[in-house]
Amino acid sequence: MKPKLLLYPNIQVENVFAKETEVLGQLQKGELNKALILWQPDKPTLVLPSGNKWQSSEGLHQQLMQMGWQLFSRKTGGAPVPQVPGVINVSHMYVWDEQTPYSITKAYQGFCDKLSRFFALYNVKVDVHATEFSYCDGDYNLNISGKKSRGNSSASGA
């Protein structure tokens, strides 16, 4: 099986989430064993999670439109996330080894380790830890020169 790498430097948030769903289907069918999607939104977009806590409303939609923003609701939980051009988003999908009990901590740490090894190829030192005052301050933030460059919300997956 081949890994899949998809690059979208300028894509609607709605379309990249549809692409993620398609790739997840390929993983479930055994057509792929891992995939990496690197993407940037074409327009500023506020992404709302599913559930009742963060509801879309006509007022919110109108206010965002006046500011040049789009609004999109995804199918998974979490918190509202602003997606803006200039920020590279990473979707890393893979098949978990059935012999290894699933651990969100191991998944986050494994992803950070892969990114750390990548940056080391270019002599860029990274640190993995919580980043005070960042938008999403969790235990698995990748920091370069003391600034957050990538992050996960927490070890619990919240």
Side-chain angles (χ1 to χ4, degrees):
M1 284 183 273
K2 293 183 180 179
K4 188 173 211 170
L5 172 63
L6 300 170
L7 305 171
Y8 298 105
N10 189 21
I11 188 170
Q12 288 183 356
V13 169
E14 176 179 2
N15 292 343
V16 81
F17 285 149
K19 181 53 75 176
E20 284 179 350
T21 300
E22 178 185 319
V23 170
L24 283 171
Q26 292 173 324
L27 286 162
Q28 290 170 334
K29 293 177 190 174
E31 296 169 2
L32 296 171
N33 61 351
K34 58 184 162 184
L36 185 68
I37 303 175
L38 301 170
W39 62 277
Q40 291 184 74
D42 60 345
K43 296 177 184 166
T45 305
L46 178 63
V47 178
L48 295 178
S50 66
N52 296 325
K53 185 175 181 180
W54 305 99
Q55 293 291 312
S56 174
S57 69
E58 187 58 34
L60 175 61
H61 184 72
Q62 290 299 322
Q63 184 72 28
L64 289 169
M65 278 183 42
Q66 289 174 6
M67 297 176 358
W69 282 65
Q70 297 179 339
L71 180 64
F72 180 77
S73 295
R74 67 178 184 255
K75 297 178 183 178
T76 58
V81 178
Q83 300 289 350
V84 294
V87 174
I88 299 170
N89 294 280
V90 179
S91 303
H92 181 232
M93 296 170 267
Y94 55 94
V95 176
W96 191 268
D97 175 19
E98 291 181 17
Q99 309 306 317
T100 305
Y102 182 73
S103 163
I104 193 80
T105 301
K106 284 184 182 180
Y108 282 160
Q109 189 62 54
F111 188 46
C112 289
D113 291 345
K114 288 175 187 171
L115 291 173
S116 296
R117 286 192 306 271
F118 170 79
F119 282 112
L121 294 172
Y122 298 96
N123 295 318
V124 175
K125 184 183 179 321
V126 299
D127 298 302
V128 177
H129 56 74
T131 308
E132 192 175 16
F133 306 116
S134 66
Y135 174 75
C136 196
D137 183 23
D139 295 334
Y140 297 95
N141 292 321
L142 196 72
N143 296 270
I144 299 173
S145 299
K147 296 187 180 188
K148 178 177 169 178
S149 65
R150 182 215 152 267
N152 288 316
S153 56
S154 71
S156 66

